[in-house]
């Protein structure tokens, strides 16, 4: 019976630790909203540049 309580307590500790990590990440994102939006914008620009480069390569391959 005591082993069951130890396992439950251990699981509760792991859940609490996991929630602490999630809370820390969310707090960081909330505190640094501008940084997050700039990073997301840069990511989207890089994606668009990759698609444009891929299209340019296909056009060059088709006509030249």
């Amino acid at each position: 019976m005591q082993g069951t309580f130890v396992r439950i307590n251990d699981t509760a500790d792991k859940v609490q630790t996991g929630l602490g990590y999630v809370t820390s990440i969310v707090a960081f994102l909330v505190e640094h909203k501008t940084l997050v939006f700039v990073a997301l914008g840069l990511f989207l620009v890089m994606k668009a540049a990759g698609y444009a480069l891929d299209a340019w390569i296909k056009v060059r391959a088709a006509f030249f």
Side-chain angles (χ1 to χ4, degrees):
M1 190 69 165
Q2 188 176 5
T4 303
F5 288 124
V6 170
R7 282 197 308 264
I8 291 172
N9 201 11
D10 188 40
T11 302
D13 286 343
K14 288 179 182 175
V15 169
Q16 187 175 7
T17 302
L19 288 176
Y21 289 143
V22 169
T23 304
S24 296
I25 291 168
V26 170
F28 176 83
L29 293 177
V30 168
E31 288 290 323
H32 299 89
K33 279 186 279 214
T34 305
L35 179 66
V36 171
F37 285 131
V38 167
L40 182 61
L42 287 174
F43 173 74
L44 292 175
V45 166
M46 292 298 291
K47 270 304 242 189
Y51 287 135
L53 183 61
D54 188 45
W56 176 250
I57 290 170
K58 288 179 181 177
V59 167
R60 296 248 329 154
F63 289 110
F64 298 107

